[in-house]
Amino acid sequence: MKTEDSIKTFLASTGGDTVKLFDLSLEPHDPCILSYTPSPGFQVNSIKWNHTNLVVASAGDDKKMSLWRKNGQDLGTVPMGGTDGADNIEVRNCCR
C-alpha cells in the first residue's frame, strides 16, 4: 500500500554536457540527487526514463547512449550510428 509520503516524483534534465536528476518530493532547498557528465565536452541532446522510471538514458554528440540508475550506478554505454557497433558495447555491473 502506497502512502502519500512514499510517492516520489523524479525529473531528469540536461544542459550542455551534464544530466541532472531531481527528486521533487524533497524539501525545496536542493532537490538535485544526481549530476553526471556522460562524455565531458559532448552536448547531451536527449534524455528519457525507462518504463519503470528506474533507469535514465541519455544520448548526444558523442554518438553513444549512456544508461544510469537513478541511484547513480553507471550501467554502461551503447554506441549509436549507422555502423554495426554491437561488438563495441560497454556494460558495467548491469546485473548487480
Side-chain angles (χ1 to χ4, degrees):
M1 175 189 229
K2 289 188 176 185
T3 65
E4 203 171 304
D5 292 332
S6 68
I7 297 172
K8 292 189 176 190
T9 304
F10 293 97
L11 171 73
S13 70
T14 184
D17 63 356
T18 303
V19 175
K20 291 187 177 186
L21 304 182
F22 298 89
D23 180 348
L24 301 179
S25 67
L26 295 177
E27 294 296 320
H29 63 278
D30 189 10
C32 184
I33 58 171
L34 177 66
S35 178
Y36 66 91
T37 304
S39 294
F42 289 94
Q43 181 81 24
V44 176
N45 299 316
S46 179
I47 52 175
K48 177 82 173 150
W49 287 100
N50 76 332
H51 68 284
T52 62
N53 291 332
L54 297 175
V55 175
V56 66
S58 63
D61 290 347
D62 62 352
K63 300 198 183 327
K64 295 179 184 176
M65 181 174 61
S66 299
L67 303 172
W68 297 79
R69 290 190 189 273
K70 64 184 177 186
N71 68 2
Q73 179 186 8
D74 179 0
L75 297 177
T77 60
V78 178
M80 298 184 306
T83 62
D84 182 9
D87 293 335
N88 297 324
I89 295 174
E90 301 172 33
V91 178
R92 299 179 207 117
N93 300 324
C94 70
C95 301
R96 291 184 178 179

